[in-house]
């Protein structure tokens, strides 16, 4: 074997060794990667299995919740919806049969009340003439006028009665008195003069002054009677206005 050929063989052997070494390294790396991937796959498979177990437990819980809670709740919800519908129908029936007529009655009563308020307001408002029928204000005004007139008549009647009664004159002088008291006093003096045997012989001209006093007393008595009559008339007028 020549020296050059030996060198070529030697070179090839080194190249082959290098290639084999590289292939060996690649194989080792591939085995390491396979081992890593296999480990991860195994770990993922374990986690997947564990997750599947948890998913199974969760599914069972969900199924149990649906069976024990959700389904009965749905049934109760359906029953409640039915009762709600029945209640709505009952409310509608009550509204149509009870509430609506009551509202109509209240409205009718309110309208009547408003009309009555208008009539009452009109009855309480005095009219210009002051004598309208069924007018409370006019009636109250007339009543007040009648009461005032009646009170005035009562005062006049009392004054006329006092004047009619009068009082006796001081010092036995009927002319100083008034009313029936003075007239009675004058009549007593005239009677005494008529019964006196001494004064009985006196001519009538002597007792003219006594007759004049009696006449004056009679005029006062007549004036008092006139005032009494006027007061009675005012009382009668006031009573008639009160009656109206």
């Amino acid at each position: 074997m020549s020296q050059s050929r030996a060198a070529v063989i030697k070179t090839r052997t080194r190249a082959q060794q290098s290639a084999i070494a590289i292939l060996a390294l690649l194989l080792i790396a591939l085995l390491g990667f396979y081992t890593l991937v296999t480990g991860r796959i195994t770990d993922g498979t374990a986690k997947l299995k564990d997750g599947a177990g948890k998913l199974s437990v969760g599914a069972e819980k969900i199924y149990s919740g649906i069976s024990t809670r959700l389904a009965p709740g749905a049934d109760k919800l359906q029953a409640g919806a039915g009762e709600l519908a029945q209640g709505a129908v009952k409310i509608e029936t009550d509204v149509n049969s009870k509430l609506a007529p009551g509202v109509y009655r209240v409205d009718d009563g309110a309208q009547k009340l408003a009309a009555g308020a208008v009539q009452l307001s009109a009855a309480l408002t005095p009219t210009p003439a002051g004598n309208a029928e069924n007018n409370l204000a006019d009636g109250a005004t007339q009543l007040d006028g009648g009461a005032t007139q009646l009170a005035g008549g009562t005062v006049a009647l009392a004054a006329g009665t006092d004047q009619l009664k009068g009082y006796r004159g001081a010092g036995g002088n009927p002319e100083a008195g008034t009313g029936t008291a003075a007239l009675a006093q004058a009549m007593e003096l005239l009677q005494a003069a008529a019964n006196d045997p001494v004064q009985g012989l006196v001519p009538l001209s002597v007792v003219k002054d006594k007759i004049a006093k009696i006449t004056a007393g009679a005029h006062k008595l007549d004036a008092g009677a006139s005032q009494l009559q006027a007061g009675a008339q005012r009382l009668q007028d006031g009573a008639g206005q009160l009656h109206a």
Side-chain angles (χ1 to χ4, degrees), residues 140-154 234-235 237-239 241-243:
T141 302
Q142 293 176 1
L143 183 65
D144 180 68
T148 302
Q149 189 171 358
L150 186 62
T154 304
R234 292 182 65 182
L235 279 176
D237 295 340
Q241 192 169 359
L242 281 176
H243 177 71

Side-chain angles (χ1 to χ4, degrees), residues 11 64 109 138 147 150 171 183 188 193 231 237-238:
T11 302
S64 175
D138 288 349
L150 186 62
L183 181 60
E188 289 173 0
D237 295 340

Side-chain angles (χ1 to χ4, degrees), residues 158-177:
T161 302
D162 291 338
Q163 187 174 358
L164 183 62
K165 178 176 175 23
Y167 53 89
R168 297 173 69 89
N173 183 11
E175 191 175 0

